[in-house]
């Protein structure tokens, strides 16, 4: 914990698509019920990149309103140390000054229909760190509002490893949506950060066979280390045909999509058996077109979405603290705050060696 908190800090500020700038801004001052974190690490994910490049989901078009605000500090996968907060804030979140914590991405309103029903991750106003209403963690300090959902994490974890709790919790929620049973053949599309989390989570469900798909042999090997029984390089093999070979011609029981690539959608629909389950966990940069007859008349599939990581954060943190996640292999690149553009470029370079890229704002 810092002994003295400055009044000014370095932060990345969003001015528009492909216009993110490192600036000096005021360190936020927590009000009643709020806390101040000294940011230790913030992960950069595909949604950050798609926002940076101006995807309509974030900046809006004729069909949807803007989701990201200009002047906002990005960064929603973060870990930090509590350096300020009144007694009400500390008691509310069950923490003390000096504790290391992670926060869920969404800051629920606690008042809308969804929040009242315990479905806080689908909160109506949908305020999220780094995108809407609250600044994110690509900065030296971050304000934690009273309504935030906070979880303590061990300081024995490296900060960039602890920050992986966010994508891992998201993946675990998608796995839960899949309703995996012991007899299932499960296919995970993608061995990036979310895909590897899907493999890790699905492995905990102990399905009969767990298959991982990707275009990169190194990432497939990492998928194997995360628990996949079989890996398939879709650049060299027909994944649909291979899965059918492994399932007496029927197809997989559950397909978990974690690539955000349009081709992975049709692939999943085709390799599932009749009455199978498709779970989508991705942010797409463009619209996807598929033959919906496959979903209905051909196979009567269950097609499910998954959003954020509700009620999965404790499990994700426990997996990290118990050493069940090969974080040294997953968290491949760390850079300083001044090199935020390099971090974005590393995430964009799908042919490179990066898996999880993190920014360490305070060194």
């Amino acid at each position: 914990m810092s002994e003295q908190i400055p009044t000014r800090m370095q932060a990345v500020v969003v001015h528009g698509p492909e216009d993110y700038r490192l600036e000096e801004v005021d360190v936020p001052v927590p009000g009643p019920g709020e806390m101040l974190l000294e940011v230790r690490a913030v992960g950069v994910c595909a949604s950050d990149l798609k926002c940076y490049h101006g995807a309509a989901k974030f900046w809006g078009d004729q069909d949807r309103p803007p989701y990201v605000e200009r002047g906002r500090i990005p960064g929603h996968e973060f870990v930090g140390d509590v350096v300020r907060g009144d007694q009400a804030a500390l008691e509310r979140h069950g923490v003390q000054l000096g504790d290391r914590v992670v926060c869920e991405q969404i800051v629920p309103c606690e008042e809308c229909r969804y929040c009242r029903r315990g479905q806080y991750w689908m909160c109506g106003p949908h305020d999220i760190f780094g995108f809407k209403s609250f600044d994110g963690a690509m900065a030296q300090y971050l304000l934690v509002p009273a309504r935030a959902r906070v979880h303590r994490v061990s300081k024995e974890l490296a900060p960039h490893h602890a920050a992986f709790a966010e994508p891992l919790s998201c993946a675990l929620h998608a796995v839960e949506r899949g309703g995996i049973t012991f007899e299932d053949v499960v296919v995970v599309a993608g061995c990036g950060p979310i895909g590897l989390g899907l493999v890790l989570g699905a492995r905990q469900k102990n399905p009969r066979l767990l298959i991982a798909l990707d275009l990169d042999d190194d990432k497939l090997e990492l998928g194997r280390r995360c628990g996949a029984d079989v890996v398939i390089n879709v650049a060299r093999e027909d994944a649909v045909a291979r899965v059918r070979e492994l399932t007496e011609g029927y197809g997989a029981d559950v397909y978990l999509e974690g690539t955000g690539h349009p081709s992975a959608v049709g692939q999943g629909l085709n390799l599932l058996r009749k009455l199978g389950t498709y779970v989508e966990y991705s942010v797409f940069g463009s619209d996807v077109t598929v033959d919906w007859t496959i979903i209905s008349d051909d196979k009567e599939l269950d097609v499910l979405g998954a959003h954020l990581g509700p009620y999965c954060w404790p499990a994700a943190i426990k997996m990290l603290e118990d050493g069940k996640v090969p974080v040294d292999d997953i968290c491949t690149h760390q850079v300083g705050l001044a090199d935020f553009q390099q971090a974005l470029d590393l995430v964009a370079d799908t042919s490179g060696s990066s898996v999880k890229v993190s920014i360490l704002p305070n060194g």
Side-chain angles (χ1 to χ4, degrees):
M1 183 173 62
S2 298
E3 294 181 0
Q4 185 173 3
I5 300 170
T7 58
R8 302 281 283 175
M9 68 177 183
Q10 295 291 305
V12 177
V13 180
V14 174
H15 288 272
E18 300 190 0
D19 187 8
Y20 287 22
R21 307 173 198 171
L22 185 66
E23 298 178 0
E24 186 176 274
V25 301
D26 289 336
V27 172
V29 177
E34 299 176 336
M35 299 190 303
L36 185 70
L37 299 189
E38 186 171 4
V39 180
R40 293 303 177 194
V42 54
V44 182
C45 81
S47 62
D48 291 314
L49 184 68
K50 288 170 182 175
C51 179
Y52 174 77
H53 285 301
K57 170 182 171 60
F58 300 99
W59 294 99
D61 58 17
Q62 66 272 20
D63 298 319
R64 54 163 61 96
Y67 188 64
V68 65
E69 298 167 335
R70 284 177 169 82
R72 186 66 54 207
I73 298 171
H76 60 280
E77 303 179 1
F78 60 85
V79 61
D81 297 337
V82 180
V83 293
R84 252 184 210 164
D86 61 19
Q87 195 60 33
L90 300 177
E91 289 181 359
R92 175 184 174 89
H93 299 300
V95 300
Q96 298 178 352
L97 293 177
D99 281 353
R100 184 158 292 174
V101 301
V102 291
C103 298
E104 300 193 26
Q105 320 91 310
I106 194 162
V107 181
C109 72
E110 311 289 3
E111 297 177 355
C112 71
R113 166 182 181 165
Y114 304 105
C115 287
R116 292 197 309 270
R117 295 182 177 187
Q119 301 160 331
Y120 70 91
W121 69 101
M122 296 307 298
C123 171
H126 223 71
D127 296 331
I128 288 188
F129 283 110
F131 291 114
K132 182 184 174 189
S133 298
F134 299 104
D135 283 331
M138 290 189 192
Q140 292 177 290
Y141 293 88
L142 174 137
L143 185 72
V144 178
R147 291 186 278 111
R149 300 178 75 92
V150 177
H151 304 272
R152 279 191 298 174
V153 64
S154 172
K155 284 190 174 182
E156 293 184 8
L157 283 175
H160 54 289
H161 294 169
F164 191 66
E166 192 276 344
L168 182 56
S169 69
C170 292
L172 295 184
H173 175 53
V175 168
E176 292 277 75
R177 292 281 282 163
I180 296 168
T181 69
F182 297 137
E183 290 300 311
D184 283 341
V185 173
V186 179
V187 176
V188 173
C191 288
I194 288 292
L196 293 171
L198 294 171
V199 174
L200 286 159
R203 182 73 278 156
Q204 297 298 306
K205 297 292 186 178
N206 201 28
R208 177 164 60 93
L209 189 65
L210 178 56
I211 302 168
L213 313 179
D214 204 279
L215 296 162
D216 184 281
D217 286 334
D218 291 335
K219 290 179 180 176
L220 285 169
E221 179 56 33
L222 186 48
R224 195 186 295 276
R225 292 204 294 276
C226 287
D229 300 304
V230 176
V231 297
I232 301 173
N233 188 317
V234 297
R236 294 197 300 268
E237 292 187 74
D238 183 333
V240 175
R242 180 77 187 283
V243 170
R244 286 179 179 164
E245 286 176 10
L246 293 166
T247 57
E248 300 179 322
Y250 288 105
D253 301 285
V254 180
Y255 180 80
L256 306 173
E257 202 292 298
T259 71
H261 194 283
S263 66
V265 180
Q267 171 184 261
L269 298 178
N270 283 305
L271 63 72
L272 279 168
R273 65 163 169 81
K274 294 179 180 180
L275 303 174
T277 299
Y278 179 114
V279 181
E280 182 58 61
Y281 197 108
S282 286
V283 176
F284 289 90
S286 58
D287 291 344
V288 180
T289 301
V290 296
D291 179 2
W292 274 70
T293 304
I294 300 171
I295 298 169
S296 56
D297 194 45
D298 287 358
K299 295 185 177 181
E300 195 177 319
L301 300 176
D302 287 332
V303 179
L304 303 171
H307 178 58
L308 305 185
Y311 302 112
C312 292
W313 282 76
I317 292 167
K318 187 175 189 301
M319 287 176 67
L320 289 164
E321 292 179 344
D322 288 350
K324 293 183 178 179
V325 182
V327 279
D328 284 325
D329 298 318
I330 294 172
C331 299
T332 54
H333 292 72
Q334 299 85 47
V335 303
L337 189 61
D339 296 318
F340 75 90
Q341 187 63 56
Q342 179 188 354
L344 290 165
D345 293 342
L346 282 166
V347 176
D349 183 9
T350 56
S351 64
S353 60
S354 69
V355 181
K356 188 69 211 174
V357 179
S358 301
I359 295 170
L360 309 181
N362 287 290

